[in-house]
Amino acid sequence: MTDEAAGFRKIIYLSFPPETSGRPVVCNLALLFNLSFNILKADISPRHEGSLTLEISGREENYRKGLSYLKENGVRIIPASQRIFRDEDLCMHCGMCTSLCRTKALSVDLLSRKVVFDAEKCSACGMCTRVCPVRAMIVDMNDSDLN
Ligand code: SF4
Ligand code: SF4
């Protein structure tokens, strides 16, 4: 199911209306669009609105088709951009994350030699959260402001 060669990765929040609960719309992302997903957080109860935080990977084209499919099925999609944070106390400026950050949201400041984080450039791919040895990069999964 994993399409590592494609390398596209995104963290998104999904908000489900009650009428979609019980339908396998998320499973269909894998079946219909060959996307892989990890459920980072789930809050779903039968016959009520639910929410999911998903890390999706696969081909970018399939990702876009998968999102259209979700929207057609009434799922509200909220990008996780601007919801990636850095714990400044934990970061030791090792630079490991900078080589993986495709958008250059994480980069080394040549003067200070410190790693700077520009949240505006972050695409929420989540790669830094995987590689940071001290887990300084954090996905905010508080969904209180999503409804
Ligand atoms: S990998 Fe973690 S500790 Fe290293 S520079 Fe990046 S955020 Fe800081
Ligand atoms: S800061 Fe992290 S989550 Fe954001 S684009 Fe860079 S690697 Fe991806």
Side-chain angles (χ1 to χ4, degrees), residues 2 13 30 44 48 56 58 65 70 84 99 107 123 128 131 145:
T2 304
Y13 297 83
I44 297 188
H48 291 92
I56 298 183
K65 287 179 184 167
L70 291 175
I84 305 272
S99 59
S107 62
S123 68
C128 55
V131 300
D145 58 342

Side-chain angles (χ1 to χ4, degrees), residues 86 91-97 115 132-134 136-137:
R86 183 169 69 174
C91 178
M92 54 186 185
H93 299 273
C94 67
M96 199 177 285
C97 54
V115 173
C132 178
V134 293
M137 299 305 296

Side-chain angles (χ1 to χ4, degrees), residues 3 8 30 41 86 94 104 129:
D3 191 352
F8 183 81
K41 187 182 177 194
R86 183 169 69 174
C94 67
K104 306 290 178 209
T129 64

Side-chain angles (χ1 to χ4, degrees), residues 58-77:
R59 291 188 179 280
E60 184 167 1
E61 186 189 347
N62 290 353
Y63 168 78
R64 310 235 168 265
K65 287 179 184 167
L67 254 57
S68 297
Y69 166 80
L70 291 175
K71 284 180 192 163
E72 285 161 12
N73 280 278
V75 179
R76 198 156 64 97
I77 300 158

Side-chain angles (χ1 to χ4, degrees), residues 84 100-101 103 105-106 117 121-128 137:
I84 305 272
L100 289 163
C101 182
T103 63
L106 287 158
F117 174 49
K121 292 183 182 169
C122 175
S123 68
C125 70
M127 287 303 288
C128 55
M137 299 305 296

Side-chain angles (χ1 to χ4, degrees), residues 5-19:
F8 183 81
R9 191 175 290 277
K10 199 83 155 172
I11 296 173
I12 55 173
Y13 297 83
L14 306 178
S15 177
F16 295 83
E19 55 271 24

